């Protein structure tokens, strides 16, 4: 399933690039366009790092899962803060950078939440099916017949 999420994120990136290419080229100045492209890259990398944290923690116990997911989220937010600070110090357009980063972040966050719910549902269903396959119930007659046949 890991590659499915990467395909989804790349598809989102391609669609956003196609939709935003002409408006950015026609109406934006170079610093604004650079800030929007930088925020798209930041949000894309953030989504991929979130995927790797989730893939690491999804089969772990609940405590490990929560630490990896929420700790990873804190680490990713810290990396975004450092990256934005560096971009602002080097002269990126602050309003374009912050607003476009929020927009890209929300889009990728929705994709990440959809992936998480689908993956957890799929794994839960798979575990339920495996549990049902191992639990075979016997009717009393079947049980007695099976006991007699083993003798």
């Amino acid at each position: 399933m890991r590659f499915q999420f990467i395909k989804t994120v790349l598809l989102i990136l391609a669609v956003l690039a196609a939709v935003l290419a002409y408006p950015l080229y026609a109406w934006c100045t170079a610093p604004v366009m650079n800030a929007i492209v930088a925020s798209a890259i930041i949000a894309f990398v953030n989504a991929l790092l979130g995927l790797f944290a989730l893939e690491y923690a999804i089969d772990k116990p609940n405590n490990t899962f929560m630490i990896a997911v929420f700790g990873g989220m804190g680490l990713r937010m810290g990396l975004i803060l450092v990256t934005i600070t560096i971009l602002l110090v080097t002269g990126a357009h602050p309003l374009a950078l912050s607003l476009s980063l929020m927009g890209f972040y929300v889009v990728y966050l929705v994709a990440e939440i959809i992936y998480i719910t689908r993956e957890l549902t799929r794994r839960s269903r798979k575990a339920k099916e495996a549990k049902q396959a191992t639990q075979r119930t016997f009717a009393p007659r079947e049980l007695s017949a099976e006991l007699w046949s083993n003798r």
Side-chain angles (χ1 to χ4, degrees):
M1 284 303 282
R2 177 181 303 160
F3 296 114
Q4 181 62 38
F5 184 71
I6 291 174
K7 288 179 193 175
T8 303
V9 169
L10 288 173
L11 178 67
I12 290 170
L13 183 64
V15 167
L16 289 173
V19 168
L20 295 175
Y22 179 74
L24 287 178
Y25 179 74
W27 300 321
C28 293
T29 62
V32 171
M33 193 176 343
N34 292 340
I36 292 173
V37 169
S39 67
I41 293 169
I42 292 169
F44 176 75
V45 170
N46 180 44
L48 290 181
L49 290 175
L51 166 72
F52 295 137
L54 180 67
E55 285 295 326
Y56 165 75
I58 201 159
D59 290 328
K60 305 282 193 257
N62 285 341
N63 285 341
T64 307
F65 179 80
M66 292 297 186
I67 289 170
V69 170
F70 290 124
M73 189 182 305
L75 182 66
R76 291 185 292 155
M77 289 297 123
L79 289 173
I80 289 174
L81 179 65
V82 168
T83 307
I84 288 176
T85 304
I86 291 170
L87 288 172
L88 290 175
V89 168
T90 59
H93 193 275
L95 185 62
L97 182 67
S98 59
L99 290 179
S100 61
L101 182 61
M102 281 194 298
F104 287 122
Y105 183 79
V106 166
V107 169
Y108 286 125
L109 186 63
V110 168
E112 193 173 338
I113 290 170
I114 290 170
Y115 169 74
I116 290 169
T117 56
R118 284 184 180 169
E119 182 68 13
L120 289 176
T121 302
R122 184 185 69 81
R123 290 180 186 219
S124 174
R125 189 179 318 120
K126 192 174 176 182
K128 225 181 252 185
E129 289 171 358
K131 184 177 180 182
Q132 287 175 351
T134 60
Q135 292 178 340
R136 183 173 171 211
T137 57
F138 292 98
R141 283 189 173 180
E142 286 180 41
L143 187 59
S144 63
E146 191 167 311
L147 285 174
W148 286 103
S149 65
N150 288 338
R151 290 185 178 183

